[in-house]
């Protein structure tokens, strides 16, 4: 299927999803977000896909929700459409891992979409921010919530209340991104990480993701109990037998994703 705002490339077990509205710095229009939802549905349903990578281009991951598309919205338009939530939260329901490869601007909804991914690898030129305050609105896709959990109250407050941008170094120090790589090597590095993950047991990677996400939604006691139950469940997998046998036999495991 062809998309107008997204390029989809399949590399072995990896889906590389490129936001592709370069003239608008990948502003996240309703059409683009619908296409992203469709791509994610397809990737989740395809057993050959183990990992998704979401990226933009060197200048912008995404410069936010499309300001031109929402400028004339009334309160009723926003309320009735449940604006932003409907097509935006598909990413948060992905069970397979999604890595954000961020170069250039990740602003407003762009920063929020990156934060909906499982982890962010940033190029040296990446810039993160929630500049909605300059437009007379507030972040609407998790900027006040996910950013605060990721980098703490003081920095999140400053970013949301002033619109100040963070460069890649500050974002790494604050815990927003897992690591920084040279801008011209971003895609190669992220695809390499994705390829390593794609070789691991797919159900175990999904279980690990589910457990880490639980940390955000439960008390420590509940989260630890959930982790222990899932940990016990891994012993039901052929991949656990293969992984441990391979270690003892000093060979590379050959997981069959069962
Ligand atoms: N929506 C629509 N179009 C956008 C856009 C956006 N969020 N960001 C950039 N563009 C468009 C510009 O209008 C411009 O188009 P034209 O050539 O047709 O005028 C084109 O992309 C290039 O942009 P600039 O000329 O502004 O490029 P620059 O290099 O001078 O500046 C920038 C780059 C600092 C990122 C600047 O474009 C900018 O500030 N963009 C807006 C960032 C922003 O406010 N994002 C939040 C949006 S609201 C939101 O996301 C709500 C939410 O929580 C979901």
């Amino acid at each position: 299927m062809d998309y107008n705002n997204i390029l989809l490339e399949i590399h072995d077990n990896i889906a590389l999803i490129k936001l592709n509205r370069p003239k608008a710095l990948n502003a996240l229009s309703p059409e683009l977000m619908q296409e992203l939802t469709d791509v994610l549905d397809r990737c989740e349903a395809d057993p050959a896909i183990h990992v998704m990578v979401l990226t933009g281009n060197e200048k912008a991951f995404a410069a936010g929700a499309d300001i031109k598309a929402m400028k004339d919205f009334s309160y009723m338009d926003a309320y009735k459409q449940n604006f932003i939530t409907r097509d935006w939260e598909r990413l948060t329901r992905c069970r397979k891992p999604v890595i954000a490869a961020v170069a250039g601007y990740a602003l407003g909804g762009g920063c929020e979409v990156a934060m909906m991914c499982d982890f962010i690898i940033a190029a040296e030129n990446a810039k993160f921010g929630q500049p909605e305050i300059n437009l007379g609105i507030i972040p609407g896709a998790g900027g006040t919530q996910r950013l605060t959990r990721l980098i703490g109250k003081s920095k999140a407050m400053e970013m949301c209340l002033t619109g100040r941008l963070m460069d890649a170094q500050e974002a790494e120090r604050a815990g927003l991104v897992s690591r920084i790589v040279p801008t011209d090597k971003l895609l190669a590095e992220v695809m390499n990480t994705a390829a390593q993950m794609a070789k691991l047991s797919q159900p175990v990677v999904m279980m690990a993701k589910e457990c880490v996400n639980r940390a955000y939604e439960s008390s420590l006691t509940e989260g630890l109990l959930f982790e222990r139950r899932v940990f016990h469940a891994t012993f039901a997998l052929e991949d656990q037998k293969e992984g441990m046998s391979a270690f003892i036999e000093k060979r590379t495991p050959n997981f069959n994703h069962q």
Side-chain angles (χ1 to χ4, degrees), residues 18-147:
K18 291 183 176 167
L19 306 174
N20 187 38
R21 288 187 76 202
K23 287 189 185 141
L25 302 183
N26 291 336
L28 303 166
S29 62
E31 189 192 11
L32 184 152
M33 292 312 289
Q34 257 171 12
E35 290 182 359
L36 181 60
T37 297
D38 188 73
V39 168
L40 293 171
D41 282 342
R42 283 174 60 193
C43 293
E44 284 274 281
D46 183 345
I49 303 294
H50 292 190
V51 182
M52 280 97 89
V53 172
L54 184 61
T55 195
N57 56 50
E58 206 164 293
K59 176 142 195 215
F61 176 76
D66 191 319
I67 298 166
K68 292 167 190 166
M70 65 182 155
K71 177 184 155 290
D72 294 324
F73 266 24
S74 67
Y75 169 73
M76 267 303 126
D77 293 330
Y79 181 79
K80 283 185 177 164
Q81 292 178 35
N82 203 5
F83 179 52
I84 240 84
T85 307
R86 201 188 52 194
D87 290 323
W88 283 58
E89 293 197 338
R90 176 65 185 89
L91 261 176
T92 63
R93 294 195 308 278
C94 285
R95 298 181 71 210
K96 297 177 183 176
V98 189
I99 309 172
V102 174
Y105 295 111
L107 305 184
C111 187
E112 291 167 314
V113 163
M115 290 190 289
M116 289 178 200
C117 298
D118 297 317
F119 58 95
I120 301 172
I121 298 181
E124 276 165 348
N125 78 343
K127 285 206 183 322
F128 298 87
Q130 299 292 160
E132 288 90 341
I133 200 91
N134 297 317
L135 300 169
I137 58 169
I138 66 166
T144 64
Q145 302 301 302
R146 289 195 180 90
L147 189 66

